[in-house]
Amino acid sequence: MSPRSSRLKVLAIVLAGGEGKRLMPLTADRAKPAVPFGGIYRLIDFALSNIVNSGYLKVVVLTQYKSHSLDAHITKTWRMSTLLGNYVASVPAQQRVGKEWFAGSADAIFQSLNLVHDERPDVVVVVGADHVYRMDFAQMVDQHVETGAGCTVAAIRQPIGLADQFGVIDVNPQDPRRIREFLEKPKDPQGLPDSPEEVLASMGNYVFSAEALEDAVRADSDREGSKHDMGGDIVPAFVRDGDGWVYDFKDNDIPGSTDRDRGYWRDVGTIDSYYDAHQDLISVHPIFNLYNEAWPIYTNYGPHPPAKFVHGSGDRVGHALNSAVSPGCVISGATVSDSVLSPRVKVHSFSHVTKSVLMDRVEVGRSCQIHRTIIDKGVFVPAGVHIGVDHEMDRARGFTVTDSGLTVVGKGTIIEG
Ligand code: ADQ
């Protein structure tokens, strides 16, 4: 934490109520921030690790949609010593006042203002829970304090073709830290003056002065026509008042980062981007480096023995190449390549798993082929089954096949042999 921001009282709020429709079927029975990622993590571990590594230890996680496994993960993994008044508290929507669930992310904060009052922070850091990246929020808080802003939005350049998934920021050319216009998910945006094929996108991470945030979500709570959304309503209101500022993520300096992974940020909102982010982890020189011990990503995956690679039937040696294999896995006489395996995955003799993501306790029987496939927790693949090889067959079996040709097998799927 930098010296300037260390004198402030900071409360971190993690918005973790997203439904994640575009990640179906992985979000069929869990909130998007609880989706397993990278073998041993859940998506929310990245936001929470960034917060904790930034030195902020008072953290409220606002949950809502299918929050059971998210709550369980937070309780198991992120419980802190309360001795110093530090905590990561998971706050479900259904315990708040009012008849409705949270209408939108701003309503979630509005309904949780009592938590802000309890803490009396100077500054509130509000972050999303479904991105893979490293970021030191203290550096953003420093800028926020230096400019005297009410609201600062973290931003990164993204291809213009993705603009309709993001809040798009236009800055004042005379004062490039001031936002002139903020358009939430525009259909036809302008490119950047120095790079017409890119836009400056909001990362969905904000720093607010506590009072300014409270005033804004209160004013928004009964505003006619508001969707009570941070990106759609609150940030544009600050911008209209001339108090919206931008923090450029490229200025964020993470200890231990490499030339390759500096500035890495992935929105894993779709099956394709979720899959691509896995490939980023396992490339020979990873674009996202999980081995950076100076900025650890924390998680908890249970008491599993080391992964094991053994001879299976017919004297074949089980092996894995360009892959991340978690504890508790057994690769027996099978080949695994360019894949990510969560704990307790078993792959049996004569099977080939290529370019795939297998979650906790998936078991692949003998002589199977699994290619460009994501298999959710606990699925058993009977002997001889091919997945990701013939998409017609995959669809006939009830699997999801994306336009880009990835196959996804949902949790609890029973596969006929
Ligand atoms: P989206 O991700 O599309 O865009 P949203 O669906 O509101 O916006 O999700 C933002 C975060 O809030 C996610 O972490 C989600 O889980 C959480 N969330 C959503 N509704 C919630 C609720 N009712 N209660 C608690 N948490 C909730 C946002 C911004 C864009 C920005 C992109 C970056 O609106 O401006 O560009 O993030 O990915």
Side-chain angles (χ1 to χ4, degrees):
M1 197 174 2
S2 67
R4 204 174 311 136
S5 64
S6 67
R7 285 197 289 272
L8 293 170
K9 265 187 104 176
V10 177
L11 174 70
I13 296 182
V14 181
L15 298 168
E19 195 171 339
K21 283 200 189 104
R22 291 173 303 153
L23 268 183
M24 285 292 271
L26 304 180
T27 44
D29 65 358
R30 56 166 90 85
K32 182 168 154 187
V35 170
F37 180 83
I40 55 173
Y41 308 95
R42 304 272 185 158
L43 282 179
I44 196 170
D45 291 331
F46 293 86
L48 287 172
S49 296
N50 286 333
I51 289 170
V52 166
N53 288 333
S54 298
Y56 303 143
L57 300 176
K58 295 177 192 302
V59 189
V60 171
V61 180
L62 300 181
T63 67
Q64 161 167 260
Y65 169 87
K66 295 185 176 166
S67 61
H68 174 72
S69 61
L70 184 58
D71 287 338
H73 177 70
I74 290 170
T75 312
K76 248 189 351 208
T77 309
W78 287 96
R79 212 168 36 188
M80 285 188 196
S81 159
T82 48
L83 194 62
L84 301 172
N86 299 327
Y87 57 87
V88 177
S90 167
V91 181
Q94 52 272 36
Q95 288 188 350
R96 304 303 320 138
V97 281
K99 303 185 287 294
E100 308 290 333
W101 278 27
F102 297 151
S105 48
D107 184 50
I109 294 180
F110 173 65
Q111 291 205 38
S112 309
L113 279 177
N114 59 318
L115 301 166
V116 179
H117 292 152
D118 289 351
E119 206 48 64
R120 298 171 159 270
D122 302 300
V123 162
V124 184
V125 173
V126 178
V127 306
D130 21 294
H131 300 107
V132 175
Y133 67 119
R134 283 191 171 90
M135 179 167 178
D136 180 2
F137 297 118
Q139 293 171 33
M140 183 175 169
V141 170
D142 271 354
Q143 182 194 299
H144 179 86
V145 172
E146 185 196 318
T147 56
C151 160
T152 304
V153 181
I156 186 170
R157 288 179 177 224
Q158 291 288 292
I160 198 165
L162 300 178
D164 62 357
Q165 299 176 25
F166 296 120
V168 170
I169 295 168
D170 182 30
V171 296
N172 183 336
Q174 269 76 53
D175 187 358
R177 292 199 293 195
R178 267 186 191 267
I179 304 178
R180 182 164 66 175
E181 191 177 35
F182 185 97
L183 295 172
E184 180 70 354
K185 301 176 183 161
K187 291 275 167 290
D188 195 14
Q190 291 245 313
L192 289 167
D194 65 350
S195 178
E197 291 308 308
E198 288 185 309
V199 291
L200 191 57
S202 159
M203 298 163 69
N205 294 339
Y206 318 101
V207 175
F208 296 96
S209 305
E211 255 174 63
L213 175 63
E214 171 158 2
D215 291 349
V217 293
R218 265 192 205 292
D220 176 75
S221 66
D222 52 12
R223 189 178 290 137
E224 190 83 14
S226 173
K227 291 194 174 129
H228 312 302
D229 184 63
M230 293 304 286
D233 303 288
I234 301 296
V235 175
F238 275 97
V239 172
R240 274 196 305 275
D241 292 346
D243 198 11
W245 299 72
V246 67
Y247 173 77
D248 197 333
F249 181 57
K250 75 169 161 29
D251 298 335
N252 205 256
D253 191 17
I254 293 290
S257 58
T258 62
D259 283 347
R260 276 183 78 75
D261 84 343
R262 191 161 293 124
Y264 181 94
W265 180 79
R266 272 267 196 197
D267 178 34
V268 281
T270 63
I271 291 290
D272 283 341
S273 59
Y274 175 84
Y275 177 85
D276 290 345
H278 277 93
Q279 295 299 316
D280 293 344
L281 298 180
I282 54 177
S283 50
V284 178
H285 301 290
I287 311 173
F288 187 71
N289 178 16
L290 287 170
Y291 302 89
N292 179 358
E293 291 177 15
W295 197 270
I297 307 298
Y298 299 99
T299 192
N300 175 5
Y301 51 83
H304 309 306
K308 198 164 73 162
F309 302 82
V310 295
H311 283 280
S313 304
D315 231 21
R316 279 174 176 249
V317 186
H319 67 274
L321 199 69
N322 296 339
S323 297
V325 181
S326 301
C329 289
V330 182
I331 315 297
S332 160
T335 311
V336 173
S337 66
D338 304 292
S339 296
V340 177
L341 273 49
S342 285
R344 299 185 286 184
V345 168
K346 298 202 167 45
V347 188
H348 294 284
S349 294
F350 312 113
S351 284
H352 295 277
V353 175
T354 50
K355 295 185 185 296
S356 293
V357 177
L358 308 189
M359 293 188 196
D360 204 276
R361 262 203 171 126
V362 166
E363 182 162 357
V364 178
R366 289 177 163 221
S367 306
C368 293
Q369 272 192 47
I370 314 287
H371 181 63
R372 278 174 60 78
T373 294
I374 300 167
I375 307 184
D376 205 334
K377 278 189 171 184
V379 171
F380 175 68
V381 184
V385 167
H386 292 186
I387 307 178
V389 179
D390 174 347
H391 288 150
E392 282 315 306
M393 177 82 89
D394 290 348
R395 285 193 193 90
R397 286 183 186 274
F399 307 155
T400 302
V401 180
T402 68
D403 291 346
S404 62
L406 290 170
T407 302
V408 190
V409 182
K411 198 172 159 187
T413 304
I414 308 288
I415 303 175
E416 301 291 332

